Amino acid sequence: MTTLATEIAGRTFDNCLMNAAGVRCQSIADLNKLIDSTAGAYVTKSATPVKRAGNPSPRMHTLPKGSINSMGLPNEGLDYYLDFVLQDQANRPGTTNFLSVAGTSLEDNLSMLHQIQDSAYTGFVELNLSCPNVPGHPQVGYDFDRVKTVLTAVFDFYTKPLGVKLPPYFDLVHFDQIADILNQFPLTFVNSINSIGNGLVIDPHAEKVVIKPKGGFGGIGGAFVKPTALANVRGLALRLKPEIAIVGTGGILNGQDVFEHILCGASMVQIGTQFGYEGTQIFDRISQELTAIMAAKGYTSINDFKGKLKTFDD
């Protein structure tokens, strides 16, 4: 019997697939659809302390193999999402979901995490250190000293399961450097990757950029980013201590893409751009495709192949 169940920090999920923060998870209606789907969990839209409208439109553009966006963290504010996950926790005891937070300053993040720490919420929190689409605010994930400062301040008081969402890294020494920092803290997971920041797409007929914010610069997602996402999952899986699970995100179109993320070391896989295009039915389709791949290879669980990518040196 083939199972897609997975485990992070001793908590079991029936399916290793879930949504990525930012897509179809902003409203209660969106989140209830995820609850009713076959996804193993959901993550809420990355929250700021108060409701945020985000960047002006057009701020997202569809591409043949993905998308470019500069959304600017539109969300309903932390209270909205914390109230939702607390109600869900009461209605479905024993389940674990992910509450995402993305303050635009250290003070914002600490304030939100204090509020979550003081609440009855027992699920996972995803601290987003990679927000490439907020004008005037650099990605914390690219400033390694800043990452250490943030995590030191967070774990001075925060005791619940917490992970971080990271930007993509493009140099092997950067994998070494960020892993050395992350391994110093009691993180539950890392989510890799967020979109590839500050790409540029042009409409050649209009001779114009396709999105308005930041002069047309925006995050790239979709099939374009899969090689970078796989490299980051693999690079971190080889360097992080075993108790830090990897959540793989980026370039998921089908079951083979998920298989490759897990082969690189992911315990769970989030789907963003393509989930936006297909809706919750995507979890049924990709679950069936992944199950078929596993059955053909004689695998009955994802642990049979997780992190077992071969190289020519093996």
Side-chain angles (χ1 to χ4, degrees):
M1 186 71 177
T2 303
T3 175
L4 301 185
T6 191
E7 181 181 295
I8 296 178
R11 304 189 188 197
T12 301
F13 303 85
D14 293 336
N15 192 318
C16 62
L17 303 178
M18 60 181 293
N19 67 301
V23 182
R24 293 181 182 263
C25 58
Q26 182 168 343
S27 70
I28 288 176
D30 289 335
L31 294 169
N32 279 328
K33 287 178 183 177
L34 283 162
I35 288 174
D36 292 337
S37 77
T38 54
Y42 65 80
V43 59
T44 62
K45 178 77 173 178
S46 292
T48 49
V50 296
K51 183 174 181 177
R52 183 180 172 95
N55 292 338
S57 297
R59 57 191 185 183
M60 185 270 186
H61 184 81
T62 300
L63 301 171
K65 292 187 177 181
S67 65
I68 181 172
N69 83 85
S70 182
M71 301 299 291
L73 284 176
N75 72 94
E76 304 300 322
L78 177 62
D79 287 348
Y80 182 93
Y81 300 110
L82 182 55
D83 288 346
F84 181 86
V85 294
L86 285 171
Q87 182 176 0
D88 184 33
Q89 181 175 281
N91 292 336
R92 300 190 305 151
T95 62
T96 297
N97 293 295
F98 295 69
L99 175 63
S100 182
V101 295
T104 58
S105 68
L106 175 58
E107 292 73 24
D108 280 355
N109 282 326
L110 295 180
S111 174
M112 289 189 289
L113 290 172
H114 270 293
Q115 184 175 344
I116 298 167
Q117 174 71 28
D118 294 340
S119 76
Y121 181 62
T122 59
F124 293 156
V125 167
E126 176 184 277
L127 175 60
N128 193 338
L129 299 181
S130 172
C131 293
N133 303 316
V134 179
H137 294 276
Q139 296 192 51
V140 172
Y142 286 139
D143 184 338
F144 296 151
D145 289 339
R146 185 68 169 167
V147 171
K148 187 171 183 178
T149 296
V150 169
L151 294 180
T152 298
V154 167
F155 285 110
D156 184 53
F157 68 91
Y158 198 81
T159 61
K160 297 180 179 182
L162 183 130
V164 290
K165 187 167 188 177
L166 298 173
Y169 299 106
F170 303 97
D171 195 302
L172 294 180
V173 71
H174 292 157
F175 292 141
D176 294 335
Q177 291 170 341
I178 191 65
D180 180 64
I181 293 168
L182 299 177
N183 282 334
Q184 297 175 40
F185 298 95
L187 290 164
T188 301
F189 67 93
V190 299
N191 183 349
S192 181
I193 59 173
N194 205 334
S195 59
I196 297 178
N198 295 315
L200 187 68
V201 174
I202 295 170
D203 178 346
H205 302 292
E207 301 179 8
K208 186 177 183 179
V209 298
V210 298
I211 58 174
K212 181 176 181 178
K214 296 169 60 178
F217 287 80
I220 302 296
F224 297 113
V225 310
K226 189 177 85 166
T228 300
L230 293 177
N232 276 260
V233 170
R234 174 69 167 172
L236 291 170
L238 290 173
R239 292 164 173 82
L240 292 175
K241 55 189 180 183
E243 54 265 39
I244 302 179
I246 308 288
V247 177
T249 307
I252 306 298
L253 301 183
N254 52 50
Q256 179 179 313
D257 299 327
V258 175
F259 181 82
E260 293 175 11
H261 266 267
I262 297 170
L263 198 62
C264 285
S267 295
M268 205 147 194
V269 177
Q270 294 185 353
I271 309 172
T273 300
Q274 196 62 27
F275 168 51
Y277 296 153
E278 293 188 37
T280 54
Q281 301 93 321
I282 195 171
F283 300 114
D284 298 314
R285 174 176 67 79
I286 292 185
S287 293
Q288 292 167 7
E289 293 169 356
L290 178 59
T291 299
I293 291 169
M294 290 170 59
K297 291 176 174 288
Y299 297 140
T300 58
S301 78
I302 70 170
N303 287 329
D304 292 339
F305 61 97
K306 186 179 76 173
K308 296 181 180 179
L309 180 69
K310 302 181 183 73
T311 72
F312 285 99
D313 296 326
D314 294 331

